[in-house]
Amino acid sequence: MTEDPVPESGSAAKTTVAIQTVGCKLNQAESETLSRRFLRAGYELVAPEKSPHVYVLNTCTVTHVADRKCRQYLRAFKEKHPQSLVVAAGCYAERDADAVKVEGVDMVVGNNSKHLLVEMVQDLLRRPTGHSNHYVHGQGQAPFRTRSMIAVQHGCSHGCTYCIVPYVRKPEGSVPAAEVLSRIKAREADGYREIVITGTRIGRYRDEGGIEGLLRLVLEETSIPRIRLSSLHPEEITGSLVDLWQAEGRICRHLHMALQSGCDTVLKRMARGYTTDKYLSVVDMIRRAMPEIAVTTDVIVGFPGETEREFEESYSFCRDTGFANMHVFPYSVRSGTPASIMPNPVAATVKKERGKRMRDLAARNADVFRARFFEKPMAVLWEERKKPDVWIGYTDNYIKVFTATNAYLHNCLLDTRLGRPYQQGVWGDIDFPANSAMPPVKGV
């Protein structure tokens, strides 16, 4: 999805729009691009609860839970804001347009047309029977954030047997390196302190010598403090990439590498293309190079045919690997995928019990990982204020940190001493630099 300027529209200059995102980092990146395109067209970005004239839900369809969440968001918004123009975009809209239409949606835009969404909205608003009475005065301003998603790749041709993504995302492609670099420089000029390089499968990036070459270019041509990689597969992590990662302090020490199962027979049915031994060898290699790196993963429980023995193998592998965090999903049937017609489906009650056991394990492993950094000073990028004086930020290895201060910390990158556990994260005390100005006090 490109970020080319869109034509100015006099009527659109008076229209408010809210964009809400469900799903992956690529969806988040595309929502950022949509936001910028709406702003260039003169729209004002607002929160969904502010009764926008246009509401866009960027949908996900990776599981039935994602489908349900999207339908709930669309239905709830339409009930509260019946006069708004409601747009369903993205993967669920691509896969099952009829399902989202019944939620009172005015426009359905699949992934292949998402780049035209702003123009399509403008066209609909211009129609006499449209929502022309919704125009209000206001000049849009970009929401100021600390972290920006940069989509560099789209599509996946691998064909895991459970995955719907190849059916709802266009074929694999890479954003030219020059365009990626231009976007990052623009975010840097806007004051962002962190960018996340994302895509359907960024390890399949094909320009500038692959993802490693792209990283080298970004490191050479920009000075943005933090560069985070969204997700990689085991076969995409080479020794030279790890060497670069270790040498460059600007690349965040966080590797998300989806496992999906810790049992080889299940991995084979999933067509993941690696074994647990291969996966573990990559984890060991990167941990030897960077002992403080956070290795996080995704795990599916209840895949068709998963026996109790296979689940226990997966559970043991996850326990022994000691992930810093795990996203646990019950297997969700996606019609049209090979897994959807596999024999021996796992009962919903069994999937629920296995999911709970795996999530409990994930919580314990996360506690153990965070405890390693107790009383250690680490740089924290402070992102949002939840209460008048409580701030939330993240270390480069993605530990969630809370602190209390009357200073305004938004977008500040500050050394912070990590302390006691607190709400799936840790409490931190900021080491404000001596003889330097503190961030301004709130309200100043």
Side-chain angles (χ1 to χ4, degrees):
M1 187 171 178
T2 65
E3 297 193 21
D4 299 332
V6 296
E8 293 289 342
S9 168
S11 60
K14 301 178 181 179
T15 308
T16 58
V17 61
I19 300 176
Q20 191 167 4
T21 308
V22 179
C24 66
K25 287 184 172 61
L26 178 57
N27 258 15
Q28 295 172 38
E30 290 178 344
S31 290
E32 273 196 39
T33 298
L34 283 173
S35 296
R36 291 172 184 275
R37 289 176 62 81
F38 272 113
L39 285 167
R40 289 192 188 104
Y43 289 71
E44 181 181 1
L45 293 178
V46 298
E49 60 269 20
K50 298 296 184 181
S51 298
H53 307 112
V54 180
Y55 171 75
V56 179
L57 183 68
N58 198 0
T59 63
C60 174
T61 191
V62 70
T63 66
H64 73 280
V65 175
D67 288 351
R68 184 173 67 241
K69 183 183 292 186
C70 292
R71 292 195 302 270
Q72 289 171 343
Y73 281 150
L74 292 167
R75 187 184 308 117
F77 181 86
K78 195 65 175 180
E79 288 175 356
K80 292 181 180 178
H81 312 281
Q83 298 304 310
S84 295
L85 174 69
V86 176
V87 181
C91 291
Y92 191 21
E94 180 79 30
R95 187 179 73 85
D96 196 347
D98 291 338
V100 295
K101 283 178 183 175
V102 301
E103 304 304 334
V105 171
D106 299 292
M107 182 187 296
V108 179
V109 181
N111 281 321
N112 292 336
S113 300
K114 197 184 289 184
H115 65 291
L116 298 173
L117 191 149
V118 176
E119 291 90 335
M120 294 166 72
V121 167
Q122 290 176 172
D123 180 65
L124 185 58
L125 291 175
R126 291 189 189 105
R127 297 176 187 176
T129 57
H131 295 69
S132 59
N133 59 316
H134 290 167
Y135 302 147
V136 296
H137 293 285
Q139 178 61 43
Q141 295 295 324
F144 186 66
R145 298 179 181 176
T146 61
R147 181 190 305 138
S148 180
M149 307 290 173
I150 305 293
V152 304
Q153 185 273 346
H154 57 76
C156 178
S157 60
H158 179 75
C160 297
T161 58
Y162 56 84
C163 188
I164 195 67
V165 170
Y167 301 87
V168 297
R169 287 276 178 187
K170 53 190 173 183
E172 286 187 15
S174 301
V175 178
E179 185 175 340
V180 173
L181 193 62
S182 175
R183 294 182 188 180
I184 294 173
K185 287 181 176 179
R187 303 300 189 271
E188 187 176 7
D190 286 342
Y192 285 84
R193 310 301 297 275
E194 179 179 315
I195 56 104
V196 181
I197 294 177
T198 189
T200 311
R201 188 168 173 178
I202 63 171
R204 302 278 294 179
Y205 186 77
R206 289 294 178 258
D207 197 19
E208 195 62 32
I211 192 66
E212 182 181 337
L214 179 65
L215 275 174
R216 292 185 185 278
L217 180 67
V218 173
L219 288 164
E220 291 169 1
E221 298 292 331
T222 76
S223 58
I224 199 155
R226 282 187 176 179
I227 303 164
R228 193 178 299 275
L229 300 175
S230 61
S231 182
L232 290 165
H233 285 228
E235 62 271 28
E236 297 161 355
I237 300 175
T238 63
S240 59
L241 175 60
V242 173
D243 289 343
L244 176 65
W245 208 328
Q246 179 186 33
E248 289 289 344
R250 291 164 58 198
I251 306 176
C252 293
R253 295 169 300 172
H254 175 207
L255 166 64
H256 187 83
M257 189 166 65
L259 173 65
Q260 307 303 9
S261 177
C263 172
D264 285 336
T265 53
V266 175
L267 286 175
K268 187 174 182 179
R269 294 201 299 276
M270 290 178 168
R272 289 293 289 171
Y274 53 80
T275 64
T276 53
D277 283 347
K278 169 61 177 176
Y279 187 98
L280 190 58
S281 70
V282 174
V283 172
D284 289 342
M285 173 177 65
I286 202 160
R287 281 177 171 167
R288 284 194 300 269
M290 291 172 283
E292 294 188 340
I293 194 169
V295 180
T296 61
T297 198
D298 301 328
V299 176
I300 295 172
V301 299
F303 189 75
E306 184 185 62
T307 65
E308 189 63 29
R309 179 190 60 80
E310 288 175 327
F311 170 74
E312 292 297 339
E313 282 188 29
S314 185
Y315 182 91
S316 297
F317 183 86
C318 293
R319 179 196 62 211
D320 297 343
T321 305
F323 293 106
N325 195 17
M326 294 163 51
H327 300 144
V328 180
F329 304 92
Y331 168 71
S332 181
V333 178
R334 301 287 82 185
S335 179
T337 63
S340 68
I341 57 173
M342 286 183 176
N344 304 316
V346 177
T349 54
V350 175
K351 286 194 284 188
K352 184 176 180 180
E353 185 273 333
R354 290 177 183 174
K356 183 180 185 306
R357 282 191 61 195
M358 199 69 86
R359 284 191 295 274
D360 289 345
L361 173 64
R364 291 195 297 273
N365 282 349
D367 288 342
V368 170
F369 177 77
R370 290 190 292 261
R372 291 173 49 196
F373 302 92
F374 180 69
E375 290 298 321
K376 286 190 177 182
M378 299 186 73
V380 174
L381 179 57
W382 296 100
E383 300 192 4
E384 58 180 328
R385 180 167 51 186
K386 283 297 185 184
K387 297 178 182 178
D389 62 349
V390 175
W391 286 85
I392 299 173
Y394 292 87
T395 63
D396 76 306
N397 60 356
Y398 220 57
I399 296 175
K400 192 175 187 178
V401 186
F402 299 79
T403 198
T405 178
N406 65 351
Y408 187 78
L409 300 184
H410 191 252
N411 209 35
C412 293
L413 188 59
L414 298 169
D415 285 339
T416 305
R417 189 167 296 277
L418 307 193
R420 60 183 171 85
Y422 183 81
Q423 293 185 3
Q424 297 182 324
V426 300
W427 198 260
D429 294 316
I430 298 173
D431 295 331
F432 288 109
N435 302 318
S436 66
M438 286 180 58
V441 173
K442 62 181 181 181
V444 176

